[in-house]
Amino acid sequence: MAFSPATTATAARAAGAFTSARVSSSPPSSLSSPFLPRVAGAIVARRGRGARAAASPVRAQAAGAAKKNVLVVNTNSGGHAVIGFYFAKALLAAGHAVTVLTVGDEGSDKMKKPPFSRFSELTSAGAKTVWGDPADVGAAVGGASFDVVLENNGKDLDAVKPVADWAKSAGVGQFLFISSAGIYLQTDEPPHVEGDAVKESAGHVGVEKYIAAEFGSWASFRPQYMTGSGNNKDCEEWFFDRIVRKRPVPIPGSGMQLTNISHARDLGSMLTLAVDNPDAAAGKIFNCVSDRGVTLNGLAKMCAAAAGATVEIVNYDPAAAGVDAKKAFPFRNMVTRTPIDI
């Protein structure tokens, strides 16, 4: 998106704003309870009855649906880690049996961070949690059988193929894949919808093609930016951290770039609907985002309103400020809004 070049003063101010950024990757204790739950409500409030209606069918349909044994192959880091956590919660609430296979070692430092540090919420509700190498998923799950597999770890075919091949050989009836809304090619007619051109070189695209060829019942889900308590990656927390410390919020560009925010709980409900209604989801690709976009400046304002605080927004030209926006800012510096289609 085009914007006016920043003046020398504005660029210097933006660069100065970054020097006060927090050093720790973990959110400060002041963010733990009063603010994060409230921003989730603020972000989804626009959806109104639509958000509540999306969650209700999961419970209603599950009551008459066959209970299934579901394996969630979950990544051990990044913004997707929280997806498996909320999906497992939704499945358990619907009465399904759940096993969460997390990449790596249960004793690693990564498991001390959320959402993994909250896995007791899953096990206390009846879920089983195991750790291991998805390349040898059969050994990791001890030879257990499953009706459904959600692959929420691999980003390319090299990582996903062993899981998909095992699932097919083990007679898994439904294979679900967490892809990404970042695979679309830029367009002059945003926002993106399913069916728009994608980057053929993207690893997620290769996975989608493979599972489409290998499974009769499959579906791919393309999320964008996930929010929610327990997130393993900065998203709304980056804004909150600065706002509650009364620091400027530096946003690259004009701040009018559109993006999209969705709560991981909503995606968990959406995935559970696919488990409960496999025929309806079979062979489909879903954009997993909110029905309305938000500007980057608007997101900062929403976080401030949720925190009951004011916000000072500094829009800047990354080149003039000498800042790499990809590393300094948690969102892509472009229009990335993708509309919901469920």
Side-chain angles (χ1 to χ4, degrees), residues 13 105 174 186 268 283 302:
R13 187 164 166 240
D105 182 357
Q174 184 182 38
Q186 288 297 299
M302 290 170 68

Side-chain angles (χ1 to χ4, degrees), residues 68 148 173-174 216-219 273-284:
K68 297 176 181 177
V148 183
Q174 184 182 38
S217 182
W218 67 274
L273 285 172
V275 172
D276 287 334
N277 301 275
D279 291 341
K284 303 286 180 58

Side-chain angles (χ1 to χ4, degrees), residues 116-131:
F116 317 108
S117 60
R118 293 176 56 183
F119 271 14
S120 61
E121 297 175 30
L122 303 180
T123 55
S124 63
K128 182 178 180 181
T129 54
V130 296
W131 283 259

Side-chain angles (χ1 to χ4, degrees), residues 2-342:
F3 59 92
S4 301
T7 64
T8 302
T10 301
R13 187 164 166 240
F18 280 100
T19 63
S20 62
R22 60 187 165 119
V23 175
S24 172
S25 61
S26 301
S29 59
S30 60
L31 292 180
S32 59
S33 65
F35 301 119
L36 293 182
R38 291 175 63 188
V39 74
I43 290 172
V44 302
R46 290 180 174 180
R47 299 179 66 182
R49 295 180 181 175
R52 292 188 291 275
S56 297
V58 175
R59 294 188 293 272
Q61 293 171 17
K67 306 311 176 187
K68 297 176 181 177
N69 197 10
V70 183
L71 174 65
V72 179
V73 181
N74 208 41
T75 183
N76 61 4
S77 63
H80 280 196
V82 75
I83 294 173
F85 176 70
Y86 278 97
F87 179 41
K89 277 180 165 284
L91 287 169
L92 291 165
H96 298 292
V98 181
T99 297
V100 179
L101 165 60
T102 303
V103 178
D105 182 357
E106 182 178 6
S108 70
D109 288 342
K110 287 184 177 182
M111 296 305 110
K112 298 176 183 177
K113 301 177 181 179
F116 317 108
S117 60
R118 293 176 56 183
F119 271 14
S120 61
E121 297 175 30
L122 303 180
T123 55
S124 63
K128 182 178 180 181
T129 54
V130 296
W131 283 259
D133 183 358
D136 192 9
V137 61
V141 300
S145 60
F146 298 91
D147 302 299
V148 183
V149 169
L150 172 74
E151 222 298 346
N152 184 40
N153 171 58
K155 298 180 179 180
D156 56 39
L157 192 55
D158 286 343
V160 176
K161 189 175 184 297
V163 178
D165 290 349
W166 167 83
K168 186 173 182 180
S169 66
V172 171
Q174 184 182 38
F175 194 90
L176 307 177
F177 174 58
I178 299 296
S179 183
S180 171
I183 64 177
Y184 291 106
L185 291 171
Q186 288 297 299
T187 177
D188 291 329
E189 298 180 296
H192 293 293
V193 296
E194 295 91 338
D196 281 357
V198 296
K199 304 167 189 174
E200 291 297 327
S201 60
H204 296 93
V205 174
V207 173
E208 290 180 345
K209 289 181 177 179
Y210 187 77
I211 63 175
E214 295 295 316
F215 292 90
S217 182
W218 67 274
S220 182
F221 299 81
R222 296 173 178 172
Q224 198 157 52
Y225 292 107
M226 307 307 302
T227 65
S229 176
N231 205 340
N232 198 253
K233 184 178 181 180
D234 269 348
C235 191
E236 76 275 22
E237 293 184 6
W238 184 87
F239 292 86
F240 276 113
D241 177 72
R242 302 195 67 89
I243 291 168
V244 299
R245 291 188 295 118
K246 303 186 185 303
R247 304 306 305 162
V249 175
I251 298 178
S254 69
M256 295 305 293
Q257 304 95 312
L258 282 171
T259 190
N260 205 291
I261 312 297
S262 300
H263 199 289
R265 180 180 56 243
D266 291 338
L267 178 51
S269 296
M270 187 178 183
L271 288 162
T272 303
L273 285 172
V275 172
D276 287 334
N277 301 275
D279 291 341
K284 303 286 180 58
I285 291 174
F286 301 94
N287 287 335
C288 310
V289 294
S290 176
D291 52 357
R292 295 189 68 176
V294 61
T295 65
L296 297 180
N297 280 1
L299 180 56
K301 295 174 183 177
M302 290 170 68
C303 290
T310 58
V311 59
E312 178 188 358
I313 297 172
V314 178
N315 293 116
Y316 68 98
D317 178 347
V323 172
D324 183 351
K326 290 183 179 179
K327 296 181 179 180
F329 189 66
F331 290 80
R332 294 183 181 90
N333 182 28
M334 62 183 72
V335 175
T336 57
R337 189 210 163 201
T338 310
I340 195 166
D341 185 0
I342 58 176

